[in-house]
Amino acid sequence: MIGLVVVSHSAKAAEGIAEVAAQMGGGNARIVPAGGDEDGIGTSPDRIREGIEEADDGDGVVILVDLGSAVMNAELAIEMAMDSEAVIADAPVLEGTLNAAVETTSKKATLDSVVERAEDARDYRKLN
C-alpha cells in the first residue's frame, strides 16, 4: 500500500491532519505525521526521512507539505531515504491528504494515482 507522510511546521498540525485523513479517508491508510523540528516550529529532514521509512512498505510514499521550507526539507529527506521511492504532491495539505488516503485504499493505487488524487484538491472550493 502506498504510504503517506504529512509534513507541517507544527507537530500538532501534522498529527491532526493525519488523524482527520485517517478517520474520514479510510482507516487502512498508512499516514505518518512528520511535523515540527527539534526546536518546536519548523521542519526537519531527519524527521521527514524517518516518516518516509516508517510509511514505506515497498510500494512508495507520497509526501504532503504545508509551506515553504517543508518542500526543501522533504526534497532533502527523499535524497536521504535512498531505499524508498517517495514523491511530493503539490496539494493543499489537509484536503490533499484526505484525497490521497482514500486513493491509497484502492487495490489499483499507484504513486501517480495517489499524487493525482491529492492534487485534485487544489480545485476544491469551500464557498460558491
Side-chain angles (χ1 to χ4, degrees), residues 1-123:
M1 176 181 282
I2 307 294
L4 304 175
V5 175
V6 178
V7 179
S8 173
H9 282 70
S10 164
K12 289 180 182 179
E15 291 164 5
I17 291 164
E19 180 182 14
V20 168
Q23 290 278 330
M24 295 179 70
N28 294 332
R30 178 182 284 111
I31 308 170
V32 178
D37 67 10
E38 299 75 26
D39 297 321
I41 298 295
T43 59
S44 161
D46 289 325
R47 192 166 287 172
I48 299 166
R49 177 193 47 79
E50 291 167 3
I52 292 168
E53 292 169 352
E54 182 180 338
D56 189 16
D57 71 356
D59 291 333
V61 174
V62 174
I63 303 168
L64 295 110
V65 299
D66 61 0
L67 49 94
S69 64
V71 174
M72 178 184 66
N73 283 332
E75 291 171 340
L76 286 171
I78 290 170
E79 291 177 20
M80 294 164 48
M82 293 186 282
D83 292 337
S84 297
E85 185 176 2
V87 295
I88 302 169
D90 184 10
V93 67
L94 174 57
E95 294 90 338
T97 303
L98 176 57
N99 276 10
V102 171
E103 180 65 18
T104 65
T105 63
S106 166
K107 291 182 171 120
K108 296 180 182 181
T110 64
L111 276 175
D112 288 339
S113 72
V114 173
V115 168
E116 184 177 334
R117 283 294 308 252
E119 292 179 350
D120 284 347
R122 290 185 295 199
D123 297 328

